[in-house]
Amino acid sequence: MTNTGGRKPDEGERYRAILETAARLICDRGYEGTSMQEIAAACRMTKAGLYHHIQNKEQLLFAIMNYGMDLFEEQVLSRVQDIANPVERLRACMRHNILLVTRGWSKEVIIILHEHATLTGETRAFIDARKKKYVDFLEEAFSQASQQGLIRPVDPTVGAFSFLGMVLWIYKWFKPDGRLTDEQIADGMVGMLFPPFAAVGDTAGQAGPSPLRMVPSVSATGTDSEDA
Amino acid sequence: MTNTGGRKPDEGERYRAILETAARLICDRGYEGTSMQEIAAACRMTKAGLYHHIQNKEQLLFAIMNYGMDLFEEQVLSRVQDIANPVERLRACMRHNILLVTRGWSKEVIIILHEHATLTGETRAFIDARKKKYVDFLEEAFSQASQQGLIRPVDPTVGAFSFLGMVLWIYKWFKPDGRLTDEQIADGMVGMLFPPFAAVGDTAGQAGPSPLRMVPSVSATGTDSEDA
DNA sequence: GCGCTGCTACCTACCGGTCGGTAGGTCTCC
DNA sequence: GGAGACCTACCGACCGGTAGGTAGCAGCGC
């Protein structure tokens, strides 16, 4: 939909409130399991009143997902993409992403994760393209880290999707009142996938054929103590 | 078409065919997005005919999930649970589980993964209990592997859910005709989470440096059953 | 052989309710 | 007085589920 800009001060505000309310319900009950009637009621409106603001149900989901992608890029990607050291970049990214999932601020992000096959056609392609930018970002980081000998060599795609699986699967099992805090989970997973990798000198050329050791590549470690 | 020929169509056989047909549809369209009408038609029956075999829609989903858990236990758990070395157990388990997800034989398993919050009440609790047995199995293996110094020390719960995330997230992105085969993914992920971790005084001399701070405590369990 | 009974496997026809969505009116505020 | 914001009232299609009927078959006494 074409955005008319700031006609009224709270025009966008109202729309965003609808997205957030709808997201809360859809996150709980699923897209197909949530009726427009319920969404309208949660917005303290009738269904016809809701339809004054949105085009149809599918466009509503599309808007929620785009909003979720905006939030993700703001709270994760933008905060880590300038870190020079690829492993530190991945560590910080993993930490931010885990906390984005565990802290329930953005139901929109959870909807993106769960309803991965609900949209079809152009809207599906658009969201998939935004997701792919994140995968590309991770693959690039894994590729750099591998080449610089900062991690054990791994196919960048396998690395990226292993990263994503560990991090994003959390929405299916994490309970805020469980034994483990989200910080502990973040520490554990970062330590597991990106352990301190003290490279040592090796005989063979770079990207050593040995599955066990790799080239030092020296002097790459500059950034320190990236905080979450 | 209704006649399967020969003797009695075996009531269990017919019922299982219904579960598999329903699973195919639900896997494609989601539980809420699939109507009983569609399921009945796919079974070449009317809706009332379908209801002769099942109790209601929720019980159908419950039956599908139990069937999926049976398949999982048969094709993954039962094949690895007797492996003595905990790391080899985890490696073999990961490989079997990945192939179970990538090869689309069991749509029921995918439904278990995707519809993790669709059931409620007792049926939900029952399936969750069956899932928990798998988590316990993984935690135990991680715990043993940590204690025996075969892997970098990690909280067993974090280890188990990292394992599960990497493996089970695959259903959301894997395409059989993609660049990577499922075998390559399995190799990559196994190598990533369970790299050759040289315990002290091991064979293959180069194992020595072992890029870590932690000392692999136990010197026993040098058994390297490179099998699965 | 014959009808009869009991049973499974399905059918047609239908239930009350809800779905996503809309036509057209009213209210309020600039 | 015009433009959004929101309403009542309603649409046809479809939802999960059921009442009640029927075709086919196995077993039965006779």
Side-chain angles (χ1 to χ4, degrees), chain B residues 204-225:
Chain B
Q206 65 180 7
S210 181
L212 320 153
R213 56 204 202 289
M214 282 299 195
V215 184
S217 52
V218 180
S219 58
T221 72
T223 57
D224 273 359
S225 58

Side-chain angles (χ1 to χ4, degrees), chain B residues 34-37 47-48 51 55-57:
Chain B
T34 308
S35 73
M36 299 302 281
Q37 189 76 258
K47 199 168 48 161
Y51 270 97
Q55 191 175 343
N56 55 43
K57 196 182 182 186

Side-chain angles (χ1 to χ4, degrees), chain A residues 57-88:
Chain A
K57 197 182 183 186
E58 185 186 342
Q59 287 293 323
L60 172 62
L61 178 60
F62 181 57
I64 288 172
M65 287 188 172
N66 269 306
Y67 183 33
M69 289 303 297
D70 291 343
L71 289 171
F72 162 76
E73 289 176 1
E74 172 196 323
Q75 297 196 21
V76 180
L77 260 193
S78 71
R79 299 188 185 187
V80 303
Q81 60 190 0
D82 290 332
I83 299 173
N85 182 313
V87 176
E88 289 303 326

